Amino acid sequence: FTIHCPHPLTGLKILVTTSPQHPSVPALLRRIYECYADYALKNPFHTPEMPIRSELFDRHLLEIVK
């Protein structure tokens, strides 16, 4: 397996493990970060560095990784 961890300016660390043959990891990481930005960062009730408690985030994240 391969571990991927981008370092965006927000400081968020997203860890993704994939098989070495997985072709589009950068695109996958970009979509996961966009999901985080849309459903956590734009949520006025979300506190940074706290667990993300959003049903919409969970649902869209599952759609991305399937």
Side-chain angles (χ1 to χ4, degrees):
F1 65 93
T2 306
I3 298 175
H4 304 273
C5 180
H7 299 283
L9 296 176
T10 58
L12 176 73
K13 292 192 187 330
I14 301 170
L15 295 174
V16 175
T17 58
T18 63
S19 67
Q21 296 82 17
H22 196 277
S24 59
V25 175
L28 173 68
L29 290 169
R30 187 171 35 258
R31 289 183 62 203
I32 291 172
Y33 188 79
E34 288 172 359
C35 183
Y36 168 74
D38 287 343
Y39 298 105
L41 289 180
K42 294 178 183 177
N43 182 351
F45 301 108
H46 175 68
T47 305
E49 299 186 20
M50 294 300 292
I52 301 169
R53 304 208 187 280
S54 169
E55 188 175 314
L56 283 173
F57 173 78
D58 293 342
R59 190 174 334 134
H60 283 87
L61 186 61
L62 287 174
E63 288 176 11
I64 291 170
V65 297
K66 285 188 178 180

